[in-house]
Amino acid sequence: MSFLIVLAALCFLMFVAYRGYSVILFAPVAALGAVLLTDPSLVAPMFTGLFMDKMVGFLKLYFPVFLLGAVFGKLIEISGFSKAIVAGTIRVVGRQRAMLSIVLVCALLTYGGVSLFVVVFAVYPFAAEMFRQSDIPKRLVPGTIALGAFTFTMDALPGTPQIQNIIPTSFFGTTAWAAPVLGTLGAVFILALGISYLEWRRRVALRAGEGYGGDLRNEPEPFRGDRLAHPLVAILPLLLVGVANFLFTRWIPGWYGDSQSFVPAVIGNPAPVVQEVSKVAAIWAVQGALLVGILSVLLFAWKPVFASFAEGTKSAIGGALLASMNTASEYGFGAVIAALPGFLVVANALQSIPNPLVNEAISVTALAGITGSASGGMSIALAAMADSFIANANAAGIPMDVLHRVASMASGGMDTLPHNGAVITLLAVTGLSHRQSYKDIFAITLIKTMAVFFIIALFYLTGWV
């Protein structure tokens, strides 16, 4: 019965998200409904002590990233840089390769360490512009961005700095470069099948006479300047964000050490505030990198930006608030569901799968799907099962690098169900609904999940790592 309660809560939240209702409202309803059916006395304590605690904790850490990412994306839009990048890209690769261009830009940014949430804000303006000029349906934008930002550069390519590739290192004693051959071949598998699928969808729309579309929401504002910047100047802020993020990630621990403390007042005797730098260094690095990007746009395109700065940043702030609250609500939902007995039933059942790699892949991707979070699902799975994964792998002669890569790639498999925070953010930013665009995101999700079992089969057939 406890398992059915967890499953019902998950299905309910996916249903309301797909129907277009706000998860800010329905995530706590779904979570607390499950608590009510499990133990009514825990509804209020779970709401205040777990749901709100996790939700507010997420906002405390990540809202500045959402805010700065939204402002950066808006400035890229109103400066005309998005239009300049699109014009330059079309000249180089042609209108027929618009989707591949967007995927590669997303991949460059995420592999450079830029948060996938930031990539959504930064890439959307020129993705929309490129699709409009190429007359490709706008409803295909979310699937295209998802392929570039949420898949192979998030957890398959060796060396990616995304958190999904970092978490396994602490459990398996590996590095971010674990299983380079399997990871690279898995990335090629995802990219090839993903692009093939999206291009097939574009051709179907073309034969049906469907263009970019009309009466759409959150369309980029028209450029009001006299002339467009050179494409190399326009793309410079995006490159600066990636480079600055890389440099700050390395410099910040050296500047601050392991921790910093300060006394928050000069009156009275307050306790000192102690900040563990290792836990926030990556977040500080992204924030600093986005500030560098924002300042570079202001430097290179002050005149057009100044003309629309007030109204543009208002809409960016509204978008950041909505996106961060959506994701934070999902985070709170996942925390409550993971604390219920029904979730333990799922975890225990998954441990009965005999093959070590298949066991790990299904466990991680299933828990990521239930919690709606790649990093959250993987953290829960590895915290509970890493010792058994390692013991079974050692008995079967499987290297820890392979365990790392399978866990990392599996976390980004079924995590992108309709209630996933990144999916909801992507749809909110692009002004599209689940009904319009989730079908393509789900297709990319299936390809990504297949890739995990592709590299498992490849390992058993070849022994490659």
Side-chain angles (χ1 to χ4, degrees), residues 5 70 73 135 146 196 211 245 252 277 282 298 320 338 358 363 394 402 422 450 461:
I5 290 171
D135 206 28
S196 298
N245 185 44
I252 285 173
V277 175
L298 292 174
V358 174
S363 298
N394 286 334
V402 179
M450 288 167 50
L461 288 172

Side-chain angles (χ1 to χ4, degrees), residues 38-101:
T38 302
D39 186 347
S41 67
L42 290 179
V43 171
M46 279 270 198
F47 177 67
T48 304
L50 191 56
F51 182 91
M52 289 304 298
D53 183 65
K54 293 296 183 180
M55 179 178 174
V56 172
F58 181 92
L59 291 171
K60 181 181 74 173
L61 286 175
Y62 296 107
F63 176 69
V65 174
F66 278 83
L67 178 62
L68 292 172
V71 171
F72 177 62
K74 179 57 69 172
L75 295 188
I76 288 287
E77 174 188 318
I78 63 179
S79 64
F81 283 4
S82 61
K83 203 175 184 73
I85 292 169
V86 168
T89 304
I90 287 175
R91 284 198 299 270
V92 173
V93 304
R95 294 181 186 276
Q96 70 276 17
R97 296 188 181 90
M99 288 178 161
L100 179 61
S101 301

Side-chain angles (χ1 to χ4, degrees), residues 6 9-10 13 23 26-32 34-35 46 50-55 58 325-344 366-381 415 419-421:
V6 166
L10 176 63
L13 188 58
V23 296
F26 281 101
V29 170
L32 297 177
V35 176
M46 279 270 198
L50 191 56
F51 182 91
M52 289 304 298
D53 183 65
K54 293 296 183 180
M55 179 178 174
F58 181 92
M325 284 295 295
N326 277 328
T327 308
S329 293
E330 288 291 344
Y331 197 70
F333 169 82
V336 171
I337 293 300
L340 296 178
F343 191 82
L344 187 60
L367 297 183
I370 290 171
T371 59
S373 166
S375 57
M378 177 166 53
S379 296
I380 292 168
D415 70 310
H419 65 299
N420 172 263

Side-chain angles (χ1 to χ4, degrees), residues 14 67-68 77-78 88 99 114 130 152 178 231 239 320 384 387 412 434-435 457:
M14 287 194 293
L67 178 62
L68 292 172
E77 174 188 318
I78 63 179
M99 288 178 161
V114 180
M130 178 168 277
F152 60 97
L239 298 178
D387 290 343
H434 281 78
R435 193 184 296 273

Side-chain angles (χ1 to χ4, degrees), residues 177-184 398-402 405 459 462-465:
W177 297 90
V181 175
L182 291 178
T184 301
I398 298 171
M400 291 299 103
D401 277 14
V402 179
R405 189 55 54 206
F459 170 73
T462 65
W464 293 342
V465 176

